[in-house]
Amino acid sequence: MASGTEVSVTWPQALAWRAERHLLSPVGELPVADVVRRLGAVLSMDESLAELAVRVRRRRSAPGELARAFAAGEVIKVFAFRGSVHYLTPEDGGAYLALRCAGRQWELPSWQDYYGLTPSDWPRFREAVRDALSDGPRTVAELGAALTSRAAYRHLGPVFDDDPWTLLKPLTWQGDMSFGPPRGRRPTFQRLDHDPRWAGVWDLDDAGRYAVTQYFGTYGPADADHVGYWLGNGLSAGAKRLRGWLADVQDRLVAVDVEGGRRHVLREDVDSLLAARPSTVVRFLPGHDQWVIGPGTKESHVVPPDHRTPVTRKSNPVTVGGVVRGTWATTADTLTVTWLDPGPPPREDLETEADRLAGILGRPLRCVVGAA
């Protein structure tokens, strides 16, 4: 990585710059798919939280807009970071999936023994999956029935009857399929190459360099440990590969002193970083928002150590100037803020942001602030 500190900023400056990159301050104007692309991925564990993660970053938004973008193929839904389901864009999602494939988990002896599929069986198995989905989306049960009707895969019947998810994940990693439109509460899968925007799974090294630079562009100033957390721990890209990709892009990075700590940003972002002015803007974010998940909850400049427990337990964070200072929750007509800091809460700013959230959620909310 780049050696020798070239510029210096404070943490409030750094977080103000990152908030602009996250479309949080100021709130952005980008379309839904571009919001997802900017963040790299949006967790879809809870669809209401996934949509809120997008809508809080758009000045003008509407209920159901993430679902509509998904239905139009503007975003895709696949297993990605940490084995969970995420929204990605079809144009650059293949970069993150290439990293997810790098470990080739389906070639592990334990996988071969359990699923009765050797590495040489996978090309034909993948083709069979694509064939089964050629006429449109199928539920997991329907996909399993189509596959196990073939003699070569009849032995997978008990897998589909019990827990097929581990077997299905590599099929999204390799770009054979993605989640399709749900049928009630039942998920479906569809061929990914039927989306005309799908750019395919990238060459691994091209994908690695792209993912690394995208991370610095959205989550900087960052260091190698943050890249390792996001792309290594998150996508199993491998420490050796990550070191190689960081070395490949080091000429694009500038070392930054952030209050005595050494971080890096992309060279093209230095001027905007230096121009950033500290902010005290209040934001109500959904649980597992990328603002927190991207750098990780151990990033003490975003999540103070005393506040980490509620954040890791899926609470919705309240940030002030980019730092988690509280949590929030709603009932029918009340938004309750639990203030975690010892100092007084900025009640007027909290009420202003509560009004914005009420507009997004489409119902009046009375803001109530209390201490933890």
Side-chain angles (χ1 to χ4, degrees), residues 3 14 36 57-58 68 71 102 144 146 165 177 204 249 261 274 276 280 289 298 314 331 335 338 340 345 351 359:
S3 59
V36 175
R57 290 170 164 87
R58 286 171 36 81
R68 288 189 291 275
W165 296 105
M177 66 182 194
L204 179 57
V249 303
L274 292 175
T280 58
D289 189 82
K298 291 183 180 179
K314 306 178 184 180
T331 57
L335 188 155
T338 300
L340 301 175
E351 290 173 359

Side-chain angles (χ1 to χ4, degrees), residues 130-282:
R130 294 192 298 271
D131 287 346
L133 298 174
S134 290
D135 293 332
R138 289 180 182 262
T139 65
V140 175
E142 291 168 347
L143 177 59
L147 290 172
T148 56
S149 69
R150 303 188 181 204
Y153 310 119
R154 198 160 291 146
H155 67 283
L156 295 175
V159 173
F160 278 94
D161 291 340
D162 182 25
D163 182 4
W165 296 105
T166 301
L167 176 64
L168 297 178
K169 287 180 180 182
L171 297 165
T172 72
W173 303 344
Q174 296 175 86
D176 297 307
M177 66 182 194
S178 63
F179 281 86
R183 293 188 199 163
R185 295 187 177 183
R186 293 183 299 167
T188 70
F189 287 98
Q190 61 190 359
R191 284 185 63 147
L192 193 43
D193 59 4
H194 283 182
D195 185 337
R197 297 176 176 85
W198 170 239
V201 176
W202 292 29
D203 169 81
L204 179 57
D205 287 330
D206 289 343
R209 290 185 286 267
Y210 175 81
V212 167
T213 54
Q214 287 295 104
Y215 186 83
F216 282 106
T218 299
Y219 297 94
D223 60 24
D225 287 342
H226 294 102
V227 175
Y229 167 80
W230 183 233
L231 302 177
N233 296 352
L235 292 177
S236 304
K240 183 178 179 180
R241 294 188 189 93
L242 286 172
R243 287 195 297 270
W245 296 328
L246 284 166
D248 289 345
V249 303
Q250 66 176 343
D251 61 334
R252 295 189 58 187
L253 299 175
V254 170
V256 181
D257 179 282
V258 189
E259 298 186 9
R262 192 162 178 271
R263 302 289 181 101
H264 292 81
V265 294
L266 296 175
R267 188 170 298 279
E268 59 260 36
D269 292 330
V270 170
D271 288 345
S272 60
L273 174 63
L274 292 175
R277 293 294 175 262
S279 167
T280 58
V281 68
V282 170

Side-chain angles (χ1 to χ4, degrees), residues 39 41-46 49-50 53 57 82 84 86 219 229-230 285-294 297 310-317:
L39 298 177
V42 172
L43 182 66
S44 69
M45 181 183 299
D46 182 317
L49 296 182
R57 290 170 164 87
R82 290 169 177 79
S84 297
H86 285 76
Y219 297 94
Y229 167 80
W230 183 233
L285 302 177
H288 292 299
D289 189 82
Q290 292 303 113
W291 179 259
V292 170
I293 298 302
T297 58
V311 174
T312 58
R313 291 178 178 172
K314 306 178 184 180
S315 295
N316 302 314

Side-chain angles (χ1 to χ4, degrees), residues 110-138:
S110 58
W111 277 57
Q112 295 182 53
D113 292 343
Y114 188 79
Y115 294 114
L117 296 171
T118 67
S120 62
D121 292 327
W122 270 82
R124 290 188 295 274
F125 179 59
R126 292 173 58 195
E127 183 179 3
V129 170
R130 294 192 298 271
D131 287 346
L133 298 174
S134 290
D135 293 332
R138 289 180 182 262

Side-chain angles (χ1 to χ4, degrees), residues 37 41 53 61 79 91 96 120 167 185 189 211 241 318 334 341:
R37 181 178 295 109
S61 66
F79 291 106
E91 293 84 2
Y96 298 104
S120 62
L167 176 64
R185 295 187 177 183
F189 287 98
R241 294 188 189 93
V318 177
T334 303
D341 269 11

Side-chain angles (χ1 to χ4, degrees), residues 351-372:
E351 290 173 359
T352 298
E353 181 68 359
D355 288 342
R356 188 174 85 95
L357 182 64
I360 292 172
L361 298 179
R363 66 179 192 267
L365 291 172
R366 179 174 62 93
C367 184
V368 177
V369 182

